Amino acid sequence: MLRNNSYYLLFFLLYFSTGVYAIEQTNSLLTDIDKPNIILIVADDLGFGDLGINGSTQIKTPNIDKLAKTGVNFTEGYVTSPVCSPSRAGFMTGKNQVSFGYDNNIGGSQLGFDPEFLGLPISQKTIADYLKPLGYINGLIGKWHLGDAPQFHPLKRGFDEFWGYTGGGHNYFPSEPDGKRYNIPIQSNYKTPNPLTYITDDVGNECVDFIQRHQKDPFFLFASFNAPHTPMQAVAEDLALYEAIPDKKRRTYAAMVHRLDVNIGKIMQALELAGVAENTLVVFISDNGGPVDSNASLNAPYRGQKGILLEGGIHVPFIMNWPKKLPTGTVYNKAVSTLDFVPTFMEIAGGKVSESDNFDGVNLIPFITKENKVVPHPNLKWRFTISAAIREGDWKLVRLPDRLPMLYHLPTDTIEQNNLALKEVAKTEALLKKLGTWDVHLPHPVFLEGAIWKRRQLGLYDAEYPVTQPNNE
Ligand code: CA
């Protein structure tokens, strides 16, 4: 008997000393009813300056503005890459994607690289994988762009429901002469997809349907819009709203952003109607800066664009709205990262982040509520193909292969035009050392993009960019 009791004691000691117990204990503090719903709304290739809250003089975005005005507007929010696919690999895993070799956009397979690895490595867990054991129903509506091969499919990466496409973009209309590459069929595992009407509306409608069907579950919805990514296609009634914009591409872009905003309004209304608006965290970002050259977006007040590490490529709109827990109408001005999504979502869902998760992000909630007064990140680092950058406090250094490093003091030089590298040599050396040491400890990329992108990238650093809003037209 005594011997049996010893076994029980041993069992309890082991049980109580494991991480499993810690997670279960945290979970028990939240019932399913308390667990917030989480919606991550991602715009694709949206310019920083093309929202009302960021000073747009041309485009009206009342619904996105409202999210910021009744929530938290992060004015120093960054993505981890200036292009779609690696940026998504970062925020889907909570780890800087270069730490698992995901430096590049998914392009064709390159000589010497195994196409088996052309996607988010299956060794990595996604947000959906983390939320599933915490009782969440996970849905992805729209763009995936983390691998086309079967092993990378969203339904194998923690998502219960998928309506969308696995590639990097899609035609907006059922057919359009300039949308050949993007006219792939929509997949869904829970319904036979209707023919497309206008895809921004279709994604919005599917999100509303998801909310209606899952209003009683704790849910995670990744609302992955392709607007305003190319091809440039808008509906006539939205084009009419912006007829005063003379440039056709810019006018089309404005109409596409308008339609995105309308559909975000629909999602917010669906939350209200379902009675779950109060306890739903809604996050809004763009996956990278606007590609000024291809969709006529505007990243003002920042210089640069999609594809490069100047602010215009990586400094994005970044909003969180959660009426039940977050202060309303707040501006948070310390540097934050989309890497912070996974730890934030996990902990508000009742999970516990542990060191073995190896996240590069942090739970932002204690920083927003001022429980934690230090900065979330001592520094942020980027590596993108031929370039690398580090931001530490007010300073940012960008390293390219064909020129001296570029050192900018961001608060006094928003547009990164005064290179202080030779005036502040000690600072330049210190940041180069930190960046280079980090870089050489990272693994090699697991796949590459075509070599032409290297040359294009350097050209983008030398291009001219509009950094102010146009006069009201
Ligand atoms: Ca993008």
Side-chain angles (χ1 to χ4, degrees), residues 5 10 15 34 71 89 107 133 139 152 176 202 216 220 258 270 298 307 319 335 401 409 426 434:
N5 279 344
L10 183 64
Y15 184 73
D34 295 327
F152 304 123
E176 190 83 8
D202 300 322
K216 297 218 164 29
F220 166 60
H258 170 81
L298 177 65
I319 301 165
H409 184 254
K434 277 185 193 170

Side-chain angles (χ1 to χ4, degrees), residues 75-109:
T75 53
E76 302 291 319
Y78 289 96
V79 285
T80 56
S81 173
V83 298
C84 311
S85 183
S87 169
R88 287 156 193 266
F91 69 67
M92 288 298 285
T93 60
K95 298 177 193 171
N96 194 318
Q97 67 285 349
V98 295
S99 70
F100 48 85
Y102 208 113
D103 293 42
N104 286 271
N105 225 349
I106 291 187
S109 175

Side-chain angles (χ1 to χ4, degrees), residues 19-223:
V20 174
Y21 170 72
I23 288 173
E24 284 179 2
Q25 191 186 42
T26 314
N27 281 346
S28 71
L29 300 175
L30 283 178
T31 66
D32 273 5
I33 295 167
D34 295 327
K35 290 193 179 202
N37 304 303
I38 300 167
I39 304 185
L40 173 59
I41 303 174
V42 177
D44 196 349
D45 290 11
L46 175 70
F48 185 89
D50 293 321
L51 296 178
I53 44 153
N54 289 340
S56 179
T57 55
Q58 287 186 318
I59 305 174
K60 292 196 170 35
T61 53
N63 293 297
I64 299 171
D65 296 351
K66 189 178 172 192
L67 280 179
K69 286 175 184 165
T70 61
V72 184
N73 186 13
F74 295 82
T75 53
E76 302 291 319
Y78 289 96
V79 285
T80 56
S81 173
V83 298
C84 311
S85 183
S87 169
R88 287 156 193 266
F91 69 67
M92 288 298 285
T93 60
K95 298 177 193 171
N96 194 318
Q97 67 285 349
V98 295
S99 70
F100 48 85
Y102 208 113
D103 293 42
N104 286 271
N105 225 349
I106 291 187
S109 175
Q110 297 289 314
L111 198 63
F113 285 80
D114 186 343
E116 255 319 91
F117 296 93
L118 202 54
L120 183 68
I122 51 175
S123 56
Q124 301 302 319
K125 289 169 79 173
T126 70
I127 299 180
D129 289 319
Y130 290 109
L131 291 176
K132 199 168 192 157
L134 298 169
Y136 278 67
I137 293 284
N138 301 311
L140 163 60
I141 312 286
K143 164 170 164 170
W144 175 237
H145 208 195
L146 289 170
D148 289 318
Q151 68 271 29
F152 304 123
H153 197 273
L155 296 175
K156 292 197 177 138
R157 311 310 298 269
F159 286 95
D160 302 293
E161 295 191 1
F162 174 47
W163 182 102
Y165 46 94
T166 57
H170 204 281
N171 222 18
Y172 287 76
F173 294 107
S175 64
E176 190 83 8
D178 60 347
K180 284 182 214 141
R181 279 167 55 217
Y182 283 147
N183 213 6
I184 44 180
I186 295 292
Q187 304 177 29
S188 174
N189 67 320
Y190 59 92
K191 62 164 64 168
T192 304
N194 291 326
L196 289 184
T197 58
Y198 180 72
I199 201 168
T200 308
D201 287 331
D202 300 322
V203 167
N205 292 341
E206 291 304 325
C207 288
V208 169
D209 177 57
F210 180 92
I211 292 164
Q212 288 169 346
R213 285 186 295 111
H214 295 297
Q215 54 185 278
K216 297 218 164 29
D217 304 309
F219 65 76
F220 166 60
L221 171 60
F222 179 13

Side-chain angles (χ1 to χ4, degrees), residues 93-392:
T93 60
K95 298 177 193 171
N96 194 318
Q97 67 285 349
V98 295
S99 70
F100 48 85
Y102 208 113
D103 293 42
N104 286 271
N105 225 349
I106 291 187
S109 175
Q110 297 289 314
L111 198 63
F113 285 80
D114 186 343
E116 255 319 91
F117 296 93
L118 202 54
L120 183 68
I122 51 175
S123 56
Q124 301 302 319
K125 289 169 79 173
T126 70
I127 299 180
D129 289 319
Y130 290 109
L131 291 176
K132 199 168 192 157
L134 298 169
Y136 278 67
I137 293 284
N138 301 311
L140 163 60
I141 312 286
K143 164 170 164 170
W144 175 237
H145 208 195
L146 289 170
D148 289 318
Q151 68 271 29
F152 304 123
H153 197 273
L155 296 175
K156 292 197 177 138
R157 311 310 298 269
F159 286 95
D160 302 293
E161 295 191 1
F162 174 47
W163 182 102
Y165 46 94
T166 57
H170 204 281
N171 222 18
Y172 287 76
F173 294 107
S175 64
E176 190 83 8
D178 60 347
K180 284 182 214 141
R181 279 167 55 217
Y182 283 147
N183 213 6
I184 44 180
I186 295 292
Q187 304 177 29
S188 174
N189 67 320
Y190 59 92
K191 62 164 64 168
T192 304
N194 291 326
L196 289 184
T197 58
Y198 180 72
I199 201 168
T200 308
D201 287 331
D202 300 322
V203 167
N205 292 341
E206 291 304 325
C207 288
V208 169
D209 177 57
F210 180 92
I211 292 164
Q212 288 169 346
R213 285 186 295 111
H214 295 297
Q215 54 185 278
K216 297 218 164 29
D217 304 309
F219 65 76
F220 166 60
L221 171 60
F222 179 13
S224 185
F225 286 92
N226 62 320
H229 194 293
T230 55
M232 303 308 290
Q233 298 169 350
V235 293
E237 63 176 287
D238 296 343
L239 285 166
L241 292 174
Y242 290 95
E243 64 185 2
I245 299 177
D247 179 69
K248 186 182 173 213
K249 196 194 272 186
R250 177 73 182 163
R251 183 164 67 247
T252 308
Y253 172 85
M256 291 163 76
V257 174
H258 170 81
R259 187 56 41 176
L260 170 69
D261 186 75
V262 166
N263 278 281
I264 290 173
K266 274 190 337 207
I267 292 173
M268 299 311 292
Q269 194 188 19
L271 292 175
E272 290 287 347
L273 290 174
V276 296
E278 183 75 7
N279 198 22
T280 299
L281 169 67
V282 178
V283 178
F284 175 81
I285 56 157
S286 176
D287 66 341
N288 48 253
V292 178
D293 55 353
S294 69
N295 72 357
S297 48
L298 177 65
N299 295 309
Y302 302 120
R303 191 161 71 87
Q305 69 151 48
K306 176 180 182 178
I308 62 175
L309 297 176
L310 293 178
E311 295 289 287
I314 52 175
H315 193 145
V316 295
F318 194 122
I319 301 165
M320 286 191 178
N321 185 297
W322 183 13
K324 190 174 175 181
K325 287 281 165 66
L326 296 182
T328 178
T330 308
V331 169
Y332 187 82
N333 66 3
K334 305 286 187 293
V336 295
S337 167
T338 49
L339 293 169
D340 300 328
F341 294 163
V342 174
T344 302
F345 297 174
M346 206 173 145
E347 294 209 324
I348 67 171
K352 182 97 189 108
V353 170
S354 75
E355 248 177 65
S356 62
D357 290 317
N358 282 319
F359 292 138
D360 293 309
V362 295
N363 176 2
L364 288 177
I365 306 299
F367 294 95
I368 304 167
T369 57
K370 299 201 170 70
E371 227 173 289
N372 193 335
K373 291 189 168 49
V374 299
V375 294
H377 301 277
N379 61 50
L380 290 172
K381 300 190 257 336
W382 294 263
R383 184 175 85 176
F384 176 59
T385 70
I386 56 166
S387 59
I390 179 169
R391 176 173 177 177
E392 188 166 82

